[in-house]
Amino acid sequence: MSNKMMFSSLVENSLNFLNKAITEIKDQPFFSLIHFYTGLELLLKARLMNEHWSLIISRKSVPDLQKFTNGDFQSINLDEILEALDKTLGIKVAKTHADAFHLVRKHRNRIVHFFHGAQAQKTKPEQIVQEQLVAWHFLHQMITVQWPQVFKPWAKELLDIDKGLRKYHTYLRIIFDQKAATFRQLKAQGFKIESCPSCNFKSLVCSKNMDFLYQAKCEVCNLSAPRINISCPHCAKIFTYEGDATTNCKHCKRRIFIKDIENILLDHGELHIRAMEGDFSDPEASCVECDGFHTVINTKHNQILCMACLSDFPEIYLCEWCGEGNTKILENSYYEGCSHCNGASDWRRED
């Protein structure tokens, strides 16, 4: 069986699990959660398998094609999937996305390993819909914006799943109605409330100051993410960026990459002055929050910001041994090194 055939089979399996999850939300929410997470994890593994089947094999064993095709293998878990996407394919999954996936995983594990009647009664459809809508919102965004060509043959099936999950947003209507007084109070206090991209209710509460970096949280489905409003490099209109590796401008629909965002936000005047003074050091640092490599910059807004997860930091710290920038305080880095090196101690051990 070719890698392409195995990839297609894995995608088909993932879609079957997701479709099954949709049919179970109403009457069997706990089974819906189990099947939804399985489908989510399989889709992420499929992105790895599109490159090569061995990428989804546990690092604890040697990849064996015969055993793999026979189903006799141990596959990687969610943490390992996210790491493989980053280290092998250079795809950094935003922290907000990873957190949403892990929330579903943890809930699924509680159901599978500690299931009993009382636990089943506690698992309400509203909670399942909340978690699945947010996780699906991020996963669907990755599939359709970052990897459209990879999953193009299943565009219709993915759209049907998207519609199928969103039709259950009626379960969240009671939460939205109960929050009516809260929304009125927030508006009176100066908060802006927008439509949530996850549950579609006008329930996404944005920080009062939306000039640059701000926080947005949905009061209905609990979607929470930092955002920045910036000008599109193609059409110059303002659009909202949420820390994705790639995104599309809502106005001109053109693709925007993380390097485009970085180029917009860098203080080029400051870099020019530094260059004139003979300072050609790398303006980028690595992020301690999402492990992003060279994703942190000092923006022209005087904020040190990670382009991958939109975390902000008070300072960039330079390693005394290799000179790489980091966002965590480095103590004794000359000897102990940083996330990029092992410091002088490694060299002395070799001597």
Short mmCIF file of all heavy atoms in Angstrom, two decimals, residues 175-199:
data_model
loop_
_atom_site.label_atom_id
_atom_site.label_comp_id
_atom_site.label_asym_id
_atom_site.label_seq_id
_atom_site.Cartn_x
_atom_site.Cartn_y
_atom_site.Cartn_z
N ILE A 175 -27.59 29.47 27.17
CA ILE A 175 -26.50 30.21 27.81
C ILE A 175 -26.50 31.65 27.31
O ILE A 175 -26.35 32.59 28.09
CB ILE A 175 -25.14 29.54 27.52
CG1 ILE A 175 -25.13 28.10 28.07
CG2 ILE A 175 -23.99 30.34 28.13
CD1 ILE A 175 -23.87 27.33 27.72
N PHE A 176 -26.67 31.82 26.01
CA PHE A 176 -26.69 33.16 25.41
C PHE A 176 -27.83 34.00 25.99
O PHE A 176 -27.64 35.16 26.36
CB PHE A 176 -26.84 33.05 23.90
CG PHE A 176 -26.93 34.37 23.19
CD1 PHE A 176 -25.80 35.17 23.03
CD2 PHE A 176 -28.14 34.83 22.69
CE1 PHE A 176 -25.88 36.39 22.38
CE2 PHE A 176 -28.23 36.05 22.05
CZ PHE A 176 -27.09 36.83 21.88
N ASP A 177 -29.01 33.40 26.10
CA ASP A 177 -30.17 34.13 26.64
C ASP A 177 -29.96 34.51 28.10
O ASP A 177 -30.35 35.60 28.53
CB ASP A 177 -31.43 33.27 26.50
CG ASP A 177 -31.86 33.10 25.04
OD1 ASP A 177 -31.42 33.90 24.21
OD2 ASP A 177 -32.61 32.15 24.75
N GLN A 178 -29.34 33.61 28.86
CA GLN A 178 -29.10 33.89 30.28
C GLN A 178 -28.09 35.01 30.47
O GLN A 178 -28.06 35.66 31.52
CB GLN A 178 -28.59 32.61 30.98
CG GLN A 178 -29.65 31.53 31.14
CD GLN A 178 -29.07 30.24 31.68
OE1 GLN A 178 -27.86 30.02 31.67
NE2 GLN A 178 -29.94 29.34 32.14
N LYS A 179 -27.25 35.25 29.46
CA LYS A 179 -26.20 36.27 29.57
C LYS A 179 -26.65 37.64 29.06
O LYS A 179 -25.85 38.57 29.00
CB LYS A 179 -24.97 35.84 28.77
CG LYS A 179 -24.33 34.54 29.25
CD LYS A 179 -23.23 34.83 30.24
CE LYS A 179 -22.47 33.56 30.61
NZ LYS A 179 -21.33 33.83 31.47
N ALA A 180 -27.91 37.79 28.69
CA ALA A 180 -28.40 39.04 28.09
C ALA A 180 -28.09 40.25 28.96
O ALA A 180 -27.60 41.29 28.47
CB ALA A 180 -29.89 38.94 27.82
N ALA A 181 -28.34 40.15 30.25
CA ALA A 181 -28.09 41.27 31.17
C ALA A 181 -26.59 41.56 31.26
O ALA A 181 -26.17 42.73 31.31
CB ALA A 181 -28.65 40.95 32.55
N THR A 182 -25.78 40.51 31.23
CA THR A 182 -24.32 40.67 31.28
C THR A 182 -23.82 41.44 30.06
O THR A 182 -22.98 42.34 30.18
CB THR A 182 -23.63 39.29 31.34
OG1 THR A 182 -24.07 38.59 32.50
CG2 THR A 182 -22.12 39.45 31.39
N PHE A 183 -24.35 41.10 28.89
CA PHE A 183 -23.93 41.78 27.66
C PHE A 183 -24.30 43.26 27.71
O PHE A 183 -23.52 44.11 27.26
CB PHE A 183 -24.55 41.10 26.44
CG PHE A 183 -24.02 39.72 26.18
CD1 PHE A 183 -24.88 38.68 25.86
CD2 PHE A 183 -22.66 39.45 26.25
CE1 PHE A 183 -24.40 37.40 25.62
CE2 PHE A 183 -22.18 38.17 26.01
CZ PHE A 183 -23.05 37.14 25.70
N ARG A 184 -25.48 43.57 28.24
CA ARG A 184 -25.89 44.97 28.34
C ARG A 184 -24.96 45.75 29.26
O ARG A 184 -24.57 46.89 28.97
CB ARG A 184 -27.34 45.05 28.86
CG ARG A 184 -28.39 44.65 27.82
CD ARG A 184 -29.77 45.09 28.25
NE ARG A 184 -30.21 44.41 29.47
CZ ARG A 184 -30.88 43.27 29.48
NH1 ARG A 184 -31.19 42.66 28.33
NH2 ARG A 184 -31.24 42.70 30.62
N GLN A 185 -24.57 45.13 30.37
CA GLN A 185 -23.66 45.78 31.31
C GLN A 185 -22.29 46.00 30.69
O GLN A 185 -21.68 47.07 30.84
CB GLN A 185 -23.53 44.93 32.58
CG GLN A 185 -24.79 44.87 33.41
CD GLN A 185 -24.66 43.88 34.56
OE1 GLN A 185 -23.64 43.24 34.74
NE2 GLN A 185 -25.73 43.74 35.34
N LEU A 186 -21.79 45.00 29.96
CA LEU A 186 -20.47 45.11 29.33
C LEU A 186 -20.46 46.21 28.27
O LEU A 186 -19.50 46.97 28.15
CB LEU A 186 -20.07 43.77 28.71
CG LEU A 186 -19.73 42.65 29.71
CD1 LEU A 186 -19.60 41.31 28.99
CD2 LEU A 186 -18.44 42.96 30.45
N LYS A 187 -21.52 46.29 27.49
CA LYS A 187 -21.62 47.34 26.47
C LYS A 187 -21.62 48.72 27.14
O LYS A 187 -20.97 49.65 26.66
CB LYS A 187 -22.89 47.15 25.64
CG LYS A 187 -22.82 46.03 24.62
CD LYS A 187 -24.11 45.96 23.83
CE LYS A 187 -24.07 44.85 22.79
NZ LYS A 187 -25.34 44.76 22.04
N ALA A 188 -22.36 48.83 28.25
CA ALA A 188 -22.44 50.10 28.97
C ALA A 188 -21.08 50.50 29.52
O ALA A 188 -20.77 51.69 29.66
CB ALA A 188 -23.47 50.01 30.09
N GLN A 189 -20.25 49.50 29.82
CA GLN A 189 -18.92 49.77 30.36
C GLN A 189 -17.89 50.07 29.26
O GLN A 189 -16.73 50.36 29.56
CB GLN A 189 -18.45 48.57 31.19
CG GLN A 189 -19.27 48.34 32.45
CD GLN A 189 -18.95 47.02 33.12
OE1 GLN A 189 -17.96 46.36 32.78
NE2 GLN A 189 -19.77 46.61 34.07
N GLY A 190 -18.31 49.99 28.00
CA GLY A 190 -17.42 50.33 26.90
C GLY A 190 -16.78 49.16 26.18
O GLY A 190 -15.95 49.35 25.29
N PHE A 191 -17.17 47.93 26.52
CA PHE A 191 -16.62 46.76 25.83
C PHE A 191 -17.32 46.57 24.49
O PHE A 191 -18.53 46.80 24.37
CB PHE A 191 -16.79 45.50 26.67
CG PHE A 191 -15.92 45.45 27.89
CD1 PHE A 191 -16.40 45.89 29.12
CD2 PHE A 191 -14.62 44.97 27.81
CE1 PHE A 191 -15.61 45.86 30.25
CE2 PHE A 191 -13.82 44.92 28.95
CZ PHE A 191 -14.31 45.37 30.16
N LYS A 192 -16.58 46.14 23.49
CA LYS A 192 -17.17 45.83 22.19
C LYS A 192 -17.50 44.34 22.14
O LYS A 192 -16.69 43.51 22.54
CB LYS A 192 -16.22 46.19 21.06
CG LYS A 192 -16.82 45.99 19.68
CD LYS A 192 -15.88 46.43 18.57
CE LYS A 192 -16.52 46.23 17.20
NZ LYS A 192 -15.61 46.64 16.10
N ILE A 193 -18.69 44.01 21.64
CA ILE A 193 -19.10 42.62 21.55
C ILE A 193 -19.31 42.26 20.08
O ILE A 193 -20.10 42.89 19.38
CB ILE A 193 -20.39 42.37 22.37
CG1 ILE A 193 -20.13 42.72 23.84
CG2 ILE A 193 -20.84 40.92 22.22
CD1 ILE A 193 -21.33 42.57 24.72
N GLU A 194 -18.56 41.25 19.63
CA GLU A 194 -18.61 40.83 18.24
C GLU A 194 -19.18 39.42 18.12
O GLU A 194 -19.35 38.71 19.11
CB GLU A 194 -17.20 40.87 17.63
CG GLU A 194 -16.56 42.24 17.65
CD GLU A 194 -15.16 42.22 17.05
OE1 GLU A 194 -14.62 41.11 16.83
OE2 GLU A 194 -14.62 43.31 16.80
N SER A 195 -19.44 39.00 16.89
CA SER A 195 -19.91 37.64 16.64
C SER A 195 -18.76 36.66 16.84
O SER A 195 -17.64 36.89 16.34
CB SER A 195 -20.45 37.51 15.23
OG SER A 195 -21.61 38.29 15.06
N CYS A 196 -19.02 35.59 17.55
CA CYS A 196 -17.99 34.59 17.83
C CYS A 196 -17.80 33.70 16.60
O CYS A 196 -18.78 33.16 16.07
CB CYS A 196 -18.38 33.75 19.05
SG CYS A 196 -17.23 32.40 19.38
N PRO A 197 -16.56 33.51 16.13
CA PRO A 197 -16.33 32.65 14.97
C PRO A 197 -16.54 31.17 15.27
O PRO A 197 -16.61 30.36 14.35
CB PRO A 197 -14.86 32.92 14.62
CG PRO A 197 -14.25 33.35 15.91
CD PRO A 197 -15.33 34.11 16.63
N SER A 198 -16.67 30.82 16.55
CA SER A 198 -16.86 29.43 16.93
C SER A 198 -18.34 29.05 17.04
O SER A 198 -18.81 28.13 16.39
CB SER A 198 -16.16 29.15 18.26
OG SER A 198 -16.47 27.87 18.74
N CYS A 199 -19.11 29.81 17.85
CA CYS A 199 -20.51 29.45 18.08
C CYS A 199 -21.50 30.33 17.33
O CYS A 199 -22.71 30.07 17.35
CB CYS A 199 -20.82 29.47 19.58
SG CYS A 199 -20.76 31.12 20.32
#
